[in-house]
Amino acid sequence: MSSFALNACWCGNTRLVPWSEGYALCTECGGTLVARSAEQSGAEADDGASLYDSAYWTRGMLDQYRPMGCKNFDDVALLHCRERTAYWMRHFVRHLRPPAKILELGCGLGTFTHFAAQLGFAAEATELSPAWRKIISEKFGIRVSGGIPGAEARQAGALDAVAMFEVLEHVLKPQELLAVLAGELAAGGQLWLQLPCYAGTAYARADAGFTRHLRVGEHIFLYSFASLTKLLDEYGFTRRIRYAAIFPGDMFLVASRGEIPSYAEEDNRKFFCSVPSAIIPYACLGMAETLRGVEAQLVNIVTQSRASIAELAAENAALRKRLEKLDPAALFSVQEPFLASLDYADYSPAADNFAPIEPAGVQRLMYIRLDGIGDCILGNAIFARLPGRFPQAEITVVCDTACSGLFEGADRVARVIEVNRHKLADDAYFRQTVKVLRACKADAVCNFTFSNTPRSFALSLLAGAPLLAVENDDANCAGYIRKIFEVKVNTLIPEAKLLQREYDRNRAVLRRLQLPNDRGPSLALSEARLEAADEAWRSAGIAKERGIVLFVGGLSPLRDYARFDEVLSLLCADRELGVIALGSKREYEASERVLSVLRAKGAVVGNFCGKLPLMTSLAMLRGCELALGVETSFAHAAAALETPHVIVLGGGHFGRFVPYSPYSTVVALPLDCYRCNWQCKYSVPHCIRGITPETLAWAARQSRKTPLPGGGRLVLQPPASWPERENLPRWQAPEAFLQENRKRGKSCRTAILTPSITHEA
């Protein structure tokens, strides 16, 4: 498949006005956008020589429709039947009745031709790809011939109608096509068209319904209604009826060289109900119309709801301003009466914003970290350095029950106190935990968590010793409560929270503590854990040096990625690799679905989700070829163990936690809804579901190369891979991250990559 430059409009005009990087504007014919280049796509081929080969449909179509909930060809076909096919046919039967002979040129999925045949029309279709023709003809039982007009001999005037839906914009020589069709259509034959509508520069550049059509090489001519009518007039199609298009940015019409008959709804009802085989298909048209009406009502409801939400947001903003004028302590008493009632007066804050606790007086140090496993691993960048700051202290670690194994055998750790962080909401459990912590008689308490909850912050203040803490953000604690707590902290490290990346925040804390900050997180693994991990690899029959560790799920189902089977199929096709799945019991079934696909293809796999202790699972990452999964604790463990890893990164906390390691390669689909703190406003997390297997496989191949110095790789999936639709977020470069990344030194900077692969839009 090759491309060539276009220097003229369909009308022959070569004096084109530059319009965009990919298109020029012709004003001679009434307004046509002309692509600057086009693909040689007319060949009937399925070997990559044609743009419209079978891969255009089997892969590109699914990529386009997955954000709409379609998982396979059947889902897409049913969606087409419900929306566009029914809409087009509803108008079609107003002007034509069976047994008229119709041809659908470039039938795509074939649903319109199938529907027409069910209603009694003598319907056939054309399509370019022989392999795709075979698929849809077998699927729908329709006749589909080669896609080049004129290739099949027909008598002059043999056709009553030709339908070209979303086709004409792809045609390089529209005059030749219309000349052939004019000869094959009867005198009153009808030409049905849906295609993009260029409605002037201001509209075309601003309306998402039209900008989605700006696909250079594929959409060659983007006609205005005026330029289209000029083209049709040249071949005598002067009678026209235009209808509202089903999609914004399009036009939908019927054209003929003779009178266009019209049939009333009641007459059509009688006609089709007199044909037994047509009753159900015709009834489906009515149901589809009803459904469109319901959808219109829902859109109206949503529009009204958005207006109401906007009003509520304005009221909420006004209330916030009123609340800001209230005494925070009084507000704290109302919102958190239990926490407000506790006595935090044991120690007074330092006079300035940072007065380090003197190390010489600290014999017993308490380290409090009450968040997740991945947070604890990332925080170990500070924890592992603490003995250097407090050389005489034994350390008591207070952490969530799930994280206790991370501190096994750590330097200077005397004991680990396990706390069920989810039970801290219970007042009695909270009081009991305070007693346990006070009984340790610590000389100083450290809490380097940047997003404490009110309870974890309060627990640190009540532990019975001066508190060394960092200034927090408001992710898990209301700002006014955070400020109340922070003024009670004895020693507060302030500026670290201004940095976007957690890794950079930890480095800033180490710098204030006058400790080395030249390394990332660490993970201590005992010989027993490493041996148990090696035994697990052996039991699966996989050499870990040629093994991939897969982790399909994260802390929240929002982060789960469902297409790892396709990614691993691509990777295992390159070379013989084994795959191990790790995670909790929650991820077992999802992992098994992935592994069953690989198992059927002959790959050696093992599912250890929920079967191994945490530290053994983490030890399995050491020495394997690649770790692949979502943003979770395994990603941080892989970074700590210097194992190459590829991570599906969503937008909830984009840029805060990964990447930071030279061994990290993260893949992201940047959207304008990023930084939502995982409060997703869509029915599905598009930032996760929209990432394609091809992008991940490409990233995985990059990760096999020599680790990049600095903060690893960020692979941004290009905008051409993401559809522009009204109900979807827009592709948007993560400028805040990119700007901060540019400010970093080379030793910390992340390399930004764009896949050199083709995505179907």
Side-chain angles (χ1 to χ4, degrees), residues 401-416:
T401 304
C403 303
S404 60
L406 296 171
F407 301 95
E408 289 179 358
D411 185 25
R412 309 282 286 283
V413 172
R415 69 184 64 82
V416 176

Side-chain angles (χ1 to χ4, degrees), residues 243-421:
Y243 289 104
I246 186 171
F247 301 121
D250 288 357
M251 50 184 161
F252 175 46
L253 67 152
V254 55
S256 177
R257 291 172 294 177
E259 293 293 333
I260 302 175
S262 294
Y263 302 105
E265 181 72 26
E266 185 61 29
D267 293 338
N268 263 347
R269 184 172 180 274
K270 291 178 181 178
F271 175 84
F272 284 103
C273 287
S274 68
V275 182
S277 61
I279 293 174
I280 292 178
Y282 186 73
C284 289
L285 290 180
M287 292 169 63
E289 189 72 12
T290 301
L291 180 61
R292 283 183 59 79
V294 172
E295 289 176 343
Q297 292 178 22
L298 287 174
V299 169
N300 186 46
I301 291 171
V302 168
T303 302
Q304 293 177 357
S305 298
R306 285 176 177 169
S308 300
I309 291 171
E311 291 176 5
L312 289 172
E315 292 179 12
N316 188 41
L319 285 172
R320 280 182 178 275
K321 289 183 178 180
R322 292 173 61 187
L323 286 173
E324 288 172 359
K325 297 177 181 179
L326 296 176
D327 178 15
L331 193 58
F332 185 33
S333 297
V334 173
Q335 294 291 324
E336 294 279 359
F338 171 72
L339 294 182
S341 69
L342 301 175
D343 183 7
Y344 301 95
D346 283 353
Y347 301 92
S348 58
D352 58 3
N353 65 343
F354 183 78
I357 296 171
E358 287 300 322
V362 179
Q363 302 293 317
R364 293 180 296 275
L365 179 69
M366 181 175 288
Y367 176 80
I368 297 179
R369 188 90 205 198
L370 288 170
D371 42 12
I373 298 170
D375 300 299
C376 283
I377 295 173
L378 193 53
N380 274 352
I382 300 175
F383 174 76
R385 297 289 196 184
L386 286 180
R389 178 70 185 176
F390 302 99
Q392 301 175 27
E394 66 174 24
I395 302 175
T396 295
V397 173
V398 181
C399 65
D400 186 68
T401 304
C403 303
S404 60
L406 296 171
F407 301 95
E408 289 179 358
D411 185 25
R412 309 282 286 283
V413 172
R415 69 184 64 82
V416 176
I417 298 175
E418 298 182 12
V419 175
N420 186 330
R421 57 182 168 140

Side-chain angles (χ1 to χ4, degrees), residues 25 83 95 144 148 200 234 243 303 310 507 669 684 696 706 756:
L25 175 64
E83 46 161 39
H95 305 291
V144 188
I148 302 173
E234 287 187 14
Y243 289 104
T303 302
R507 285 166 55 89
L669 171 62
V684 297
L696 276 169
T706 304
S756 55

Side-chain angles (χ1 to χ4, degrees), residues 363-594:
Q363 302 293 317
R364 293 180 296 275
L365 179 69
M366 181 175 288
Y367 176 80
I368 297 179
R369 188 90 205 198
L370 288 170
D371 42 12
I373 298 170
D375 300 299
C376 283
I377 295 173
L378 193 53
N380 274 352
I382 300 175
F383 174 76
R385 297 289 196 184
L386 286 180
R389 178 70 185 176
F390 302 99
Q392 301 175 27
E394 66 174 24
I395 302 175
T396 295
V397 173
V398 181
C399 65
D400 186 68
T401 304
C403 303
S404 60
L406 296 171
F407 301 95
E408 289 179 358
D411 185 25
R412 309 282 286 283
V413 172
R415 69 184 64 82
V416 176
I417 298 175
E418 298 182 12
V419 175
N420 186 330
R421 57 182 168 140
H422 303 294
K423 290 181 65 176
L424 285 175
D426 179 81
D427 294 349
Y429 183 84
F430 185 91
R431 287 184 184 277
Q432 181 59 35
T433 304
V434 171
K435 289 181 181 179
V436 172
L437 268 53
R438 282 179 172 268
C440 294
K441 299 186 182 301
D443 298 314
V445 177
C446 295
N447 182 332
F448 299 118
T449 305
F450 292 98
S451 300
N452 276 285
T453 66
R455 297 252 163 171
S456 64
F457 215 148
L459 191 68
S460 302
L461 287 165
L462 295 165
L467 175 61
L468 170 62
V470 292
E471 187 177 4
N472 273 226
D473 57 31
D474 298 342
N476 295 323
C477 184
Y480 75 92
I481 296 178
R482 172 181 60 78
K483 291 175 183 177
I484 289 173
F485 283 151
E486 285 180 345
V487 298
K488 301 178 186 298
V489 174
N490 304 87
T491 304
L492 187 70
I493 300 176
E495 72 275 1
K497 79 160 189 175
L498 300 176
L499 299 169
Q500 184 182 109
R501 193 168 59 169
E502 196 93 351
Y503 173 79
D504 296 328
R505 294 179 179 183
N506 288 338
R507 285 166 55 89
V509 171
L510 288 168
R511 194 161 45 246
R512 288 304 298 263
L513 294 176
Q514 299 178 349
L515 292 170
N517 65 351
D518 56 348
R519 71 181 186 191
S522 61
L523 188 59
L525 295 171
S526 67
E527 289 298 324
R529 294 297 186 189
L530 292 171
E531 177 54 37
D534 288 343
E535 177 57 33
W537 280 107
R538 287 192 292 269
S539 70
I542 301 172
K544 67 178 180 180
E545 297 81 7
R546 296 182 63 80
I548 296 177
V549 170
L550 171 69
F551 34 101
V552 302
L555 183 65
S556 163
L558 284 174
R559 303 190 194 186
D560 294 354
Y561 183 73
R563 301 180 67 187
F564 281 121
D565 56 331
E566 299 174 60
V567 180
L568 289 165
S569 294
L570 292 169
L571 294 179
C572 292
D574 293 347
R575 47 205 294 261
E576 192 173 321
L577 298 168
V579 181
I580 290 292
L582 297 178
S584 66
K585 291 180 180 178
R586 184 184 80 83
E587 288 90 41
Y588 183 87
E589 290 187 4
S591 298
E592 190 59 30
R593 284 193 292 272
V594 174

